[in-house]
C-alpha cells in the first residue's frame, strides 16, 4: 500500500507541473474500444533533482509500475478496509481502470497514463473525473490535501465542466461545456500562478477509427497514411479556459 501511494504522489506531482497531455481513443468495428489519457512530464525531471531528498523523497528512484485496479482491490482489500470510507470510495471508483507510471531520473523520463475499455463509444468514460480521483487520494502518510489545485479539478462529473462523447458508426462527436460558470472561473483564478508553468503545455487528441476519416471539423488536423487516425493539438491553458475549443465532429467514410 505504501508503494501505491508513492506512485499516486508521482502522478499528482505530474498534474502540477508542465506536461504534454494526450487523449487517445481507439474504436473497433463493433463500437467497443479503449480510451487512454497520458501525461509526459519528462521535461520536469530536472525539478526533482533540484528538490533533493527532502522534496523528492522516494520519487528520486526509478519507477516502472502498472496497477490494475480490479486486481488491486482484491489483493489489498484488508489494507483498503483500514482507510477512511471516503478514500475507499475513491479507490473503488477506479475499479475499471489501469494505471501505468514510468519515472527514471537517469534517463530524464517521467510518463503516466490511465486507461479503460468500453463496450460502446456512446458510454465513453470521463477521464477527467478519473484524474481527479487519483489526485485526491492521500493515504495515511500523504499530505496532498495541502497541495495546489490540480488543473483538472474543475473538469468531469461534479466539476465546472463536462465532456461527452457520441458515436453512431459514422459520426463521432466530442462535446465539452461549462456547466458552472462561477466554479469554472474560481478554478481558473486558482491556477493563475501556474499559468506560466503550463504555458508551453499542449493537449493533443489522437482518435483511431475502424474506417478512414472523411472530414474533421477543425482546421490543422493531421492524419495517418490510411486516414484512420486523426491528431489535433491545442494549448493546454487554452483548453482549460475554453473547454469548447475541443468540440469536435468526425465523419467517417461509408
Amino acid at each position: 500500500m505504501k508503494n501505491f501511494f508513492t506512485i499516486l504522489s508521482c502522478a499528482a506531482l505530474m498534474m502540477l507541473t508542465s506536461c504534454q497531455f494526450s487523449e487517445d481513443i481507439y474504436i473497433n468495428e463493433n463500437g467497443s474500444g479503449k480510451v487512454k489519457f497520458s501525461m509526459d512530464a519528462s521535461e520536469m525531471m530536472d525539478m526533482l533533482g533540484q528538490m533533493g531528498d527532502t522534496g523528492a523523497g522516494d520519487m528520486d528512484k526509478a519507477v516502472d509500475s502498472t496497477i490494475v485496479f480490479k486486481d488491486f482491490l482484491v489483493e489489498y482489500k484488508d489494507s483498503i478496509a483500514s482507510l477512511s470510507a471516503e478514500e475507499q470510495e475513491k479507490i473503488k471508483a477506479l475499479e475499471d481502470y489501469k494505471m501505468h507510471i514510468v519515472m527514471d531520473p537517469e534517463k530524464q523520463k517521467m510518463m503516466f497514463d490511465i486507461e479503460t475499455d468500453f463496450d460502446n463509444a456512446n458510454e465513453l468514460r470521463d477521464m477527467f473525473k478519473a484524474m481527479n480521483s487519483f489526485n485526491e487520494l492521500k493515504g495515511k502518510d500523504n499530505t496532498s490535501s495541502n497541495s495546489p489545485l490540480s488543473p483538472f479539478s474543475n473538469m468531469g462529473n461534479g466539476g465546472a465542466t463536462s465532456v461527452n462523447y457520441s458515436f453512431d458508426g459514422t459520426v463521432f462527436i466530442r462535446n465539452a461545456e461549462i456547466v458552472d460558470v462561477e466554479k469554472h472561473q474560481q478554478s481558473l483564478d486558482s491556477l493563475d500562478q501556474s499559468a506560466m508553468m503550463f504555458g508551453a503545455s499542449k493537449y493533443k487528441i489522437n482518435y483511431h477509427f475502424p474506417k478512414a476519416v472523411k472530414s474533421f471539423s477543425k482546421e490543422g488536423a493531421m492524419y495517418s497514411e490510411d486516414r484512420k487516425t486523426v491528431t489535433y493539438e491545442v494549448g493546454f491553458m487554452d483548453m482549460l479556459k475554453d473547454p469548447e475549443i475541443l468540440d469536435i465532429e468526425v465523419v467517417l467514410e461509408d
Side-chain angles (χ1 to χ4, degrees):
M1 283 291 286
K2 181 178 180 181
N3 290 337
F4 168 68
F5 285 111
T6 297
I7 292 172
L8 287 180
S9 295
C10 295
L13 174 66
M14 293 173 72
M15 283 189 239
L16 298 168
T17 59
S18 176
C19 294
Q20 304 306 319
F21 304 89
S22 61
E23 173 186 316
D24 282 79
I25 296 177
Y26 302 81
I27 299 180
N28 302 317
E29 284 279 2
N30 64 0
S32 66
K34 178 178 72 174
V35 56
K36 179 169 71 173
F37 185 94
S38 306
M39 295 185 292
D40 184 345
S42 298
E43 297 176 4
M44 296 303 296
M45 285 303 291
D46 284 342
M47 185 186 74
L48 286 180
Q50 295 171 8
M51 292 170 68
D53 294 337
T54 301
D58 291 336
M59 290 182 285
D60 60 351
K61 301 175 182 177
V63 174
D64 187 343
S65 183
T66 298
I67 294 177
V68 178
F69 277 89
K70 190 180 294 290
D71 297 337
F72 177 84
L73 287 170
V74 174
E75 183 176 357
Y76 294 99
K77 61 181 180 180
D78 293 336
S79 297
I80 293 173
S82 68
L83 300 175
S84 68
E86 183 180 6
E87 296 295 296
Q88 291 183 52
E89 185 177 341
K90 290 173 184 175
I91 294 178
K92 190 172 182 180
L94 300 169
E95 183 175 7
D96 295 328
Y97 287 88
K98 179 170 69 175
M99 176 177 72
H100 181 219
I101 186 165
V102 175
M103 188 168 67
D104 191 326
E106 288 189 10
K107 296 181 179 179
Q108 300 291 293
K109 186 176 182 180
M110 189 175 189
M111 303 185 73
F112 166 78
D113 62 69
I114 57 174
E115 65 180 70
T116 188
D117 296 325
F118 56 84
D119 295 325
N120 189 305
N122 294 308
E123 301 172 355
L124 275 167
R125 294 179 180 273
D126 189 335
M127 297 297 288
F128 298 111
K129 182 181 179 182
M131 297 303 294
N132 280 326
S133 294
F134 284 123
N135 190 56
E136 292 169 1
L137 285 169
K138 297 184 289 295
K140 295 180 179 179
D141 302 318
N142 193 303
T143 56
S144 64
S145 59
N146 295 321
S147 297
L149 187 66
S150 162
F152 299 100
S153 61
N154 71 322
M155 307 188 80
N157 297 340
T161 69
S162 66
V163 182
N164 300 292
Y165 305 83
S166 65
F167 181 61
D168 63 7
T170 301
V171 180
F172 177 90
I173 294 175
R174 182 192 195 276
N175 181 62
E177 63 177 327
I178 299 173
V179 295
D180 188 326
V181 175
E182 183 177 354
K183 191 173 182 180
H184 179 252
Q185 187 58 51
Q186 290 175 348
S187 178
L188 292 179
D189 292 342
S190 70
L191 285 170
D192 186 57
Q193 60 183 351
S194 303
M196 290 186 63
M197 179 182 296
F198 290 111
S201 296
K202 301 293 183 181
Y203 192 94
K204 181 185 293 186
I205 60 170
N206 304 294
Y207 292 163
H208 313 265
F209 298 100
K211 301 177 182 178
V213 174
K214 180 179 181 180
S215 65
F216 187 78
S217 60
K218 302 286 187 180
E219 294 185 2
M222 298 182 66
Y223 302 88
S224 61
E225 186 173 351
D226 61 6
R227 290 187 66 88
K228 290 184 179 181
T229 295
V230 59
T231 297
Y232 184 68
E233 183 179 90
V234 298
F236 180 63
M237 286 302 298
D238 293 334
M239 186 272 291
L240 287 184
K241 292 175 181 178
D242 180 14
E244 296 177 11
I245 197 174
L246 281 178
D247 282 0
I248 289 167
E249 180 179 279
V250 185
V251 179
L252 305 184
E253 297 281 2
D254 295 333

